[in-house]
Amino acid sequence: MNETASLRARAEIDLAALRANVRVLRARAAGAQLMAVVKADAYGHGAVPCARAAREAGAAWLGTATPQEALALRAAGLDGRMLCWLWTPGGPWREAIEADIDVSVSGMWALREVTGAAEAAGRTARIHLKADTGLGRAGCQPADWPELVAAARTAERAGAVRVTGLWSHFACADEPGHPSITAQLETFRDMVAYAEKAGVEPEVRHIANSPATLTVPESHFDLVRTGIAMYGISPSPELGTSADFGLRPVMTLAASVALVKRVPAGHGISYGHHYTTPRGTTLGLVPLGYADGIPRHASGRGPVLVGGVRRTIAGRVAMDQFVVDLDGDEPAAGSEAVLFGPGDRGEPSAEDWAEAAGTIAYEIVTRIGGRVPRVHLGATADGSPAGP
Ligand SMILES: Cc1ncc(COP(=O)(O)O)c(C=O)c1O
């Protein structure tokens, strides 16, 4: 019995798989650098160990949404290039500048704040100007780009900032052949050309997320920003499976079965009695619930491997637990229930759960709650680039 076996539940994180995935993605985008996107606690996988493993496998950049996430990585000892992009007024600009973190600027208010913070710190801030090439979320609209670029050039000449990056983000890269992909690429090239003509000399131009890295080679530019694929999950079933791309799922979510018992036919199961045993059977109680990130929408649908057999959630997912109908089998209490993983033992995938819950696999892994310990396997002690 391994030392994690006594845990109620655990998310095992295979860092060797993560390193191998980074190498696969780097090979896919040869000629570009790779940014390991480790926002949202590395999509639920644990930001610090995953960031370390990604670095070991050659990720030149780390990317986070919030500045707090980036600062936490620095505090944990991660050095090298790092970008964070989700800023609100009054954010920790000065701390980010002093921690050598590149920051994203989508508009004039952000440029004013970062310039002020750089002057106060007596440092030059490294900024990536973000273009809204069609996503309609963060980023500067093409109509406002000349004003932002001109102001950034003025701040560059004053020594307050250096524009190290020009960047954007796709809306539909996970939908092969979607017309917005080429439209966004064209707008991105135009906005980059405009900025360069105005004197901006970016180190990196970047727009590709995982689906674009995997399927749109002309989007790679100088840097690709990969999140979900690095965690071994396909960005969308339409693009293919993770195995099709040579990627291996990094997270295995498992629990110890808390109780196995016999019940008669016609027994209602869990809140609302949305499942009734069709015959005398055995039930297994799995001690994970929506407080742990198991989607309640997966009630009656979510797949689980118990005793080597795939079962389906019987009735509703509750806050801390759900039930599976074991069809008369009687695995011992303490047997392993595997909700998802790489599939080696026949367990479901995070993609299977996404389908069962009517969501995307990104949400399945990211929402696994803080009550579930992450058990990191395959860390290298000295940071040497261990093989996959
Ligand atoms: C700006 C930005 N870049 C890159 C990514 C990584 O996307 P993916 O997980 O599809 O690789 C994200 C994630 O949503 C993002 O917000």
Side-chain angles (χ1 to χ4, degrees):
M1 184 184 282
N2 70 37
E3 69 181 297
T4 60
S6 61
L7 298 176
R8 169 188 71 106
R10 63 217 166 266
E12 289 178 1
I13 309 300
D14 180 355
L15 295 172
L18 188 142
R19 287 191 296 268
N21 294 338
V22 169
R23 292 191 185 104
V24 165
L25 293 165
R26 285 181 61 212
R28 197 106 192 171
Q33 296 181 322
L34 183 136
M35 177 186 289
V37 178
V38 292
K39 61 182 177 156
D41 201 26
Y43 292 35
H45 293 66
V48 170
C50 289
R52 282 201 189 112
R55 279 272 197 249
E56 287 160 12
W61 288 75
L62 299 173
T64 68
T66 71
Q68 289 79 8
E69 290 173 319
L71 288 164
L73 289 174
R74 277 283 189 260
L78 282 140
D79 54 15
R81 298 302 286 272
M82 208 181 274
L83 172 70
C84 62
W85 51 76
L86 191 58
W87 288 88
T88 47
W93 298 102
R94 183 167 176 169
E95 291 89 328
I97 295 164
E98 289 178 340
D100 267 332
I101 294 166
D102 287 50
V103 299
S104 177
V105 167
S106 280
M108 289 299 291
W109 75 260
L111 186 64
R112 278 191 289 272
E113 289 205 2
V114 74
T115 303
E119 285 166 356
R123 302 269 296 257
T124 300
R126 289 198 299 261
I127 68 172
H128 293 219
L129 295 181
K130 185 164 194 184
D132 181 359
T133 56
L135 174 59
R137 206 174 65 177
C140 179
Q141 278 284 299
D144 301 324
W145 192 241
E147 182 194 19
L148 185 65
V149 169
R153 286 292 295 134
T154 301
E156 270 195 327
R157 281 189 287 267
V161 307
R162 197 157 76 72
V163 181
T164 48
L166 295 172
W167 76 302
S168 191
H169 194 41
F170 279 117
C172 309
D174 55 345
E175 296 178 44
H178 194 286
S180 69
I181 298 171
T182 44
Q184 281 196 254
L185 276 173
E186 197 179 322
T187 305
F188 185 57
R189 286 195 195 95
D190 288 348
M191 291 174 84
V192 166
Y194 180 92
E196 290 181 339
K197 204 158 166 231
V200 171
E201 293 177 359
E203 286 172 35
V204 283
R205 299 156 300 158
H206 51 110
I207 185 169
N209 53 0
S210 290
T213 301
L214 292 170
T215 63
V216 189
E218 64 273 29
S219 72
H220 293 170
F221 293 92
D222 308 307
L223 175 68
V224 297
R225 305 187 309 270
T226 54
I228 199 74
M230 195 174 70
Y231 304 108
I233 292 172
S234 170
S236 103
E238 260 189 90
L239 291 186
T241 64
S242 53
D244 292 338
F245 295 112
L247 301 166
R248 179 172 169 81
V250 171
M251 183 188 291
T252 297
L253 180 65
S256 297
V257 174
L259 178 70
V260 176
K261 66 181 178 188
R262 293 204 154 271
V263 290
H267 203 301
I269 304 298
S270 191
Y271 293 131
H273 280 179
H274 288 275
Y275 181 81
T276 305
T277 52
R279 68 195 90 78
T281 187
T282 46
L283 301 177
L285 183 65
V286 178
L288 280 167
Y290 60 77
D292 301 299
I294 308 307
R296 193 166 176 273
H297 271 100
S299 295
R301 297 171 56 88
V304 190
L305 190 80
V306 184
V309 179
R310 276 216 202 186
R311 326 279 179 171
T312 303
I313 294 179
R316 279 199 180 144
V317 174
M319 188 181 292
D320 315 301
Q321 45 195 296
F322 63 80
V323 175
V324 290
D325 187 334
L326 296 172
D327 266 331
D329 294 344
E330 291 191 68
S335 298
E336 196 174 38
V338 188
L339 283 75
F340 58 82
D344 300 349
R345 290 174 285 168
E347 74 274 19
S349 61
E351 286 95 330
D352 293 331
W353 271 84
E355 198 192 335
T359 184
I360 54 175
Y362 291 72
E363 188 181 356
I364 295 298
V365 288
T366 304
R367 64 186 295 163
I368 300 306
R371 197 166 64 168
V372 178
R374 272 51 170 185
V375 180
H376 291 95
L377 307 173
T380 57
D382 59 356
S384 62

